[in-house]
Amino acid sequence: MTSLKIVFCFLLISFSAFAQKDYKLWLQYDQISNSQMAQEYNAEIKGIVSLGSSETSKIALKELELGLNNMLGNKIAVKSKFEGSNNVIVGAKSNLNSELLKTIQDDFNAINEEGFIIKFISLKNKKQIVITGKNDIAVLYGVYHFLRLLQTNKSIKNLSIADSPKTNIRILNHWDNLDRTVERGYAGFSLWNWQKLPDFIDQRYIDYARVNASIGINGTVLTNVNANALILTPQYLEKVEALANVFRLYGIKVYLTARFSAPIEIGGLKTADPKDIAVANWWKDKAKEIYKRIPDFGGFLVKANSEGQPGPQNYGRDHVDGANMLADAVAPFGGVIMWRAFVYSEHDANDRAKQAYAEFQPYDGKFKDNVIVQVKNGAIDFQPREPFHPLFGAMKKTPIMMEFQITQEYLGFSTHLVYLPKLFQEVLEADTYQAGKGSTVAKVVDGSLYKNKLSGIAGVANIGNDLNWTGHPFAQANWYGFGRLAWDPYLDAGVIADEWLRSTFSNNENFIKPVKKMMLQSRETVVDYMTPLGLHHIMDTGHHYGPGPWVSNLSRPEWNPTYYHKADKNGIGFDRSKTGTNATAQYASQVEKIFDNSETCPEQDLLWFHHVSWDYKLKNGQTLWNGMALKYQEGVNEVHEMQNTWNNAEKYVDEERFKEVQMLLGIQYKEAKWWRDACLLYFQQYSGKELPAGVEKPTQTLEYFKSLKFPFAPGN
Ligand code: BDP
């Protein structure tokens, strides 16, 4: 080989070694560097005994081998019987022999169908570790949990864990189009290569299923809510089937979005009226056709009569008619309809924030058993901060599932580091008071508040075909955190950040402590430099990239930022109290009382619920104008802090990921200043006041910021 070739090969090898780190997400399985823990693991784990023979048990065994061999740095023996002690015995309940079963029989009472047990037992006086559950998928979850304990350097001595997911449907919503563009996607194109399917199974599909299983995700909606009926044609269903065959082994069910007008577009019918027998039959036949191919097909997600999508209202029917008609079609096969409550109309002069509740709440108790209503976390649209949606807890006879957005449509795309589990946790912990104190949103979505049979959490995916899946290395944490919270909505965002950092980067405390702090602060930081004090939806038109508080010329009034901030000479904010649109009345009275009064309303939501004067006194004694300007500045300063934190982390991180994050934080810093300057210059026209001391002078004029155009912003 010439020396040039050698250099080239070296570059190639080192490139792929680095690139793999990014690609491997939180399943790095780096060798344990903490000698004390390495010693413990090596003493406690001598062999693996795999008791299953299904494809899924083979996957579990392979994962365990991969993880243990890499982390322990030596090859762990795989045995067919449990000879000796300190084996990790893996197998579902039905594969355990009676002796083994006897030792853990009672533990099975503590788990549900998807739950797992990890336990130290003594068998014929020999210590063993058992990982089991009621089926192979549950065992796979247990294997990932066990590996996570090692990845995060937890002691495994005398383990006794019984853990079950608290929700039934833990699902990603891909807003992926058939041409592979991704609506609100910032990590490349869609993973689904429809042109090469069904014959070509991209390794990515397998890796996707694997990482999702590692966090307990059990469903995926492959297609955009702004649906294309073609996905329901045989040509595409064959491709969907191929994906379902891959995902099934990892416990992931496939779902599709159903375009309500499909009976017309691909069925040749004249109408899609849900009360028309031919239409109902068309859907029944379609369901039959799908289930013939995919016996465990999950069901449909539907966006109807929302933002121009067709729906039952086109025929004078309502959401109940539409949802129940589809529910009947999938019910014989155990399918579910996830019907979205994201509705608002340009013909409705009512406050947009009130419309979903006004329309859906009266439907309570009218949906069929296999319908679950999917509600966004807040009443507008995935803003950096929104008070919880008033529908949570307000439908006592209807299961409601959460829709979070993992992709950062309104939070700086895949360019800004924003750790979303903080946002998710804030919403899940919110008390709706709908069934008395303690009626948290988490209890609504896990079904425990009203004892629903169905429950679920959906997350709009931030995944694309970028090498690192999510565009920003730290956006991987949002996927991870979503999965962990879908499994257990009571988990703490700090604990999740800790797990993720250790599994993804390093267990070194000098790295973990500052970087975790940075992650946990990052959500408040984005609120500070974009939409402090309850401001919302002031992003630029269409693509939602960058500030656009001045936009007021869109055809639909409720798409204009000016509709939301209502800045004028007298002040700023949307009066949703009794003196305004009375949106506060949609909450339980205890919550209503708090939100309705500007003095008791949490300051973080002030301008969401109240229009207050520029001189309004904030809790810290500042006037609203000064306080707001200082918040914008604080946001910018905090991003600068993040840069410092990251720069200090250099020695704990591989070069490639270090540099990526460093560059992205550089952009975030620039853009935080852009947000600050553009918003303050614009609002200053109304406040007529000087910037307070401590706020940097804007770098450009308002006219300059208004002139910026982004015709090719991604995801639009
Ligand atoms: C908004 C997005 C739009 C989606 C819509 C939805 O801007 O692209 O189609 O929500 O959730 O956030 O249906």
Side-chain angles (χ1 to χ4, degrees), residues 95-391:
N95 292 322
L96 306 183
N97 67 26
S98 55
E99 207 185 345
L100 187 48
L101 196 53
K102 237 191 310 173
T103 64
I104 51 167
Q105 184 75 44
D106 291 346
D107 297 81
F108 280 101
N109 299 330
I111 55 168
N112 63 28
E113 280 305 300
E114 294 179 287
F116 58 81
I117 299 162
I118 305 177
K119 197 167 180 184
F120 257 82
I121 56 159
S122 173
L123 210 58
K124 292 198 177 111
N125 280 331
K126 294 210 170 100
K127 259 179 21 176
Q128 313 284 1
I129 304 168
V130 188
I131 304 179
T132 186
K134 294 181 183 166
N135 56 59
D136 290 333
I137 298 296
V139 176
L140 182 63
Y141 292 152
V143 164
Y144 281 114
H145 189 90
F146 182 67
L147 289 170
R148 180 152 55 233
L149 295 174
L150 273 66
Q151 283 183 287
T152 55
N153 287 192
K154 299 279 179 327
S155 172
I156 57 164
K157 281 191 188 143
N158 302 318
L159 284 179
S160 180
I161 299 175
D163 192 14
S164 302
K166 296 196 164 53
T167 56
N168 314 130
I169 305 175
R170 307 178 298 278
I171 193 167
L172 289 176
N173 288 184
H174 287 268
W175 287 358
D176 293 17
N177 298 313
L178 300 184
D179 64 4
R180 297 193 74 181
T181 55
V182 180
E183 179 148 348
R184 312 309 177 183
Y186 313 106
F189 286 92
S190 169
L191 292 181
W192 325 132
N193 190 334
W194 297 111
Q195 187 248 327
K196 284 188 179 161
L197 280 164
D199 300 317
F200 185 83
I201 299 300
D202 193 319
Q203 179 61 32
R204 277 254 167 155
Y205 307 151
I206 300 163
D207 296 342
Y208 166 86
R210 172 178 169 249
V211 282
N212 276 320
S214 80
I215 46 175
I217 285 173
N218 68 355
T220 178
V221 184
L222 300 176
T223 46
N224 192 353
V225 285
N226 296 319
N228 187 326
L230 281 181
I231 193 69
L232 301 175
T233 59
Q235 185 193 0
Y236 276 93
L237 287 175
E238 192 187 9
K239 301 168 192 281
V240 174
E241 180 185 347
L243 288 174
N245 290 342
V246 174
F247 298 165
R248 181 173 302 118
L249 306 178
Y250 294 85
I252 295 166
K253 281 187 184 181
V254 159
Y255 298 68
L256 293 172
T257 46
R259 183 157 165 92
F260 207 77
S261 50
I264 304 174
E265 287 158 17
I266 58 167
L269 300 187
K270 293 233 156 42
T271 175
D273 181 350
K275 295 262 174 169
D276 185 298
I277 295 291
V279 170
N281 283 337
W282 185 88
W283 282 108
K284 282 187 176 148
D285 290 344
K286 188 48 76 182
K288 224 180 276 165
E289 180 190 344
I290 296 175
Y291 279 94
K292 203 164 160 221
R293 290 180 178 278
I294 310 168
D296 57 348
F297 179 68
F300 294 121
L301 169 66
V302 190
K303 172 176 179 178
N305 295 119
S306 161
E307 299 185 331
Q309 293 298 305
Q313 291 171 351
N314 299 38
Y315 307 94
R317 316 294 182 188
D318 62 25
H319 287 284
V320 176
D321 300 325
N324 286 349
M325 182 269 296
L326 286 174
D328 281 342
V330 295
F333 312 99
V336 167
I337 301 300
M338 297 172 289
W339 193 271
R340 295 176 91 224
F342 178 65
V343 295
Y344 61 99
S345 157
E346 74 262 49
H347 307 300
D348 189 343
N350 215 336
D351 176 1
R352 172 175 167 187
K354 288 174 67 181
Q355 294 184 27
Y357 178 100
E359 189 157 355
F360 272 77
Q361 203 288 327
Y363 296 145
D364 191 21
K366 298 194 172 147
F367 291 104
K368 299 255 162 145
D369 286 349
N370 57 333
V371 175
I372 184 162
V373 175
Q374 184 167 314
V375 177
K376 289 189 180 182
N377 59 270
I380 298 289
D381 195 10
F382 300 136
Q383 298 303 298
R385 168 166 282 124
E386 295 192 38
F388 70 87
H389 200 301
L391 271 174

